């Protein structure tokens, strides 16, 4: 029996999504934990063997617009924005990942469209990438057969080989943006990341297009429509921020500090469902 699906919804301008991306990347690639990483229990190493992960890149701008939220809600209150960067900095320090800026950078937020499109393309799988490259695939991938409300309807099963490459690419984009301070909207920057962490890291025998070609493919209508569809799906599911995690039975967890709870959801879902009236199967969940 296949493990339950857990969807990871993220956006590249989101600092807290960066923390979740690091934790999942380390879990998927079996990076050992250090003793310092035990200081914050909510950021422990996730046991991803319990779930079938699905990476779901989105754009938060359309999500905020759909729910009537101002862009960058955390920055509307200066002290809240300052706290967010401080909180992410100290969290990453306990994860042995120094270098995150303690205050917002001058070039933040970036334009996340190009990396989001490239991540969406990669999330569809190696065969889909090569089909798009050859011109054989002109539309977003067909919905997979999944439980309603899981949020995985427009992406197929992401196997472990794909997830290892995908998780590292996503993490390296965040690292490039927040720690190295580079512009992730720059085509040359993104092409170099793809060449190193996707084309150069694919499983043996898998040939993938170059970074420059991947940047070109990110401009194809099929890829644009795919990311737009994923973002609309997030809106329809009732998501309102990132990172968010959705489960097969309509569970929603918001925030990096809920990652472990989201993974454990299937073990305690009977009690959870009895106690909650919130379900992302509904287009307009009720609280």
């Amino acid at each position: 029996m296949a493990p339950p699906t857990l969807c990871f919804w993220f956006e590249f301008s989101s600092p807290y999504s960066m923390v979740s991306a690091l934790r999942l990347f380390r879990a998927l690639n079996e990076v050992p934990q250090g003793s310092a990483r035990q200081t914050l229990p909510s950021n422990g190493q996730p046991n991803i063997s319990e779930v079938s992960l699905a990476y779901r890149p989105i754009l938060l701008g359309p999500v905020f617009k759909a729910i009537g939220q101002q862009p960058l809600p955390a920055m509307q209150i200066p002290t809240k924005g300052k706290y967010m960067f401080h909180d992410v900095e100290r969290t990453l320090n306990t994860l042995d990942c120094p270098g995150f800026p303690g205050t917002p950078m001058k070039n933040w937020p970036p334009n996340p469209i190009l990396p989001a499109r490239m991540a969406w393309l990669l999330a569809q799988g190696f065969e889909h990438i090569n089909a798009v490259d050859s011109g054989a695939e002109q539309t977003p991938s067909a919905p997979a057969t999944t439980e309603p409300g899981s949020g995985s309807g427009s992406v197929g099963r992401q196997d472990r080989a794909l997830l290892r490459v995908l998780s590292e690419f996503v993490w390296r984009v965040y690292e490039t943006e927040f720690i190295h301070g580079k512009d992730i909207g720059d085509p040359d920057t993104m092409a170099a990341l793809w060449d190193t962490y996707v084309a150069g890291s694919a499983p043996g025998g898998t040939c993938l297009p170059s970074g420059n070609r991947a940047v070109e493919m990110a401009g194809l209508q099929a890829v644009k429509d795919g990311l737009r569809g994923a973002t609309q799906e997030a809106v329809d599911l009732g998501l309102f921020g990132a990172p968010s995690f959705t489960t097969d039975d309509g569970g929603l967890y918001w925030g990096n500090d809920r990652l472990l709870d989201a993974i454990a959801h299937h073990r305690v879902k009977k009690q959870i469902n009895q106690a909650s009236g919130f379900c992302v199967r509904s287009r307009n969940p009720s609280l």
Side-chain angles (χ1 to χ4, degrees), residues 145-233:
T145 302
T146 59
E147 291 292 325
S150 69
S152 58
S154 60
V155 63
R157 181 72 63 180
Q158 295 173 352
D159 62 27
R160 186 57 62 92
L162 171 61
L163 282 168
R164 284 176 176 154
V165 175
L166 177 56
S167 66
E168 179 156 22
F169 176 72
V170 168
W171 162 244
R172 298 302 178 184
V173 174
Y174 281 116
E175 180 185 52
T176 297
E177 172 191 358
F178 285 106
I179 294 179
H180 301 313
K182 294 184 179 180
D183 179 12
I184 60 171
D186 175 62
D188 290 339
T189 296
M190 291 306 305
L193 288 172
W194 182 281
D195 281 335
T196 301
Y197 299 110
V198 179
S201 299
T206 303
C207 184
L208 295 173
S210 70
N212 286 333
R213 175 56 180 154
V215 169
E216 292 178 1
M217 292 161 65
L220 295 175
Q221 194 61 47
V223 178
K224 293 179 181 179
D225 290 344
L227 178 62
R228 187 178 295 116
T231 300
Q232 184 59 51
E233 186 177 357

Side-chain angles (χ1 to χ4, degrees), residues 22-65:
L22 172 60
R23 295 168 67 196
L24 290 171
F25 157 64
R26 285 176 169 171
L28 285 161
N29 290 275
E30 300 176 353
V31 176
Q33 288 282 71
S35 59
R37 298 173 191 151
Q38 306 305 317
T39 56
L40 293 176
S42 62
N43 286 291
Q45 185 85 326
N47 180 10
I48 55 170
S49 65
E50 295 187 52
V51 295
S52 176
L53 276 174
Y55 271 58
R56 304 302 311 276
I58 57 172
L59 297 175
L60 284 177
V63 173
F64 290 151
K65 183 177 180 180

Side-chain angles (χ1 to χ4, degrees), residues 11 13-15 60-61 64 69-77 80-81 84 108-110:
E11 210 243 35
S13 68
S14 166
L60 284 177
F64 290 151
Q69 171 69 63
Q70 291 291 322
L72 299 176
M75 304 306 291
Q76 302 303 315
I77 304 173
K80 186 176 181 180
M84 176 176 66
W108 184 83

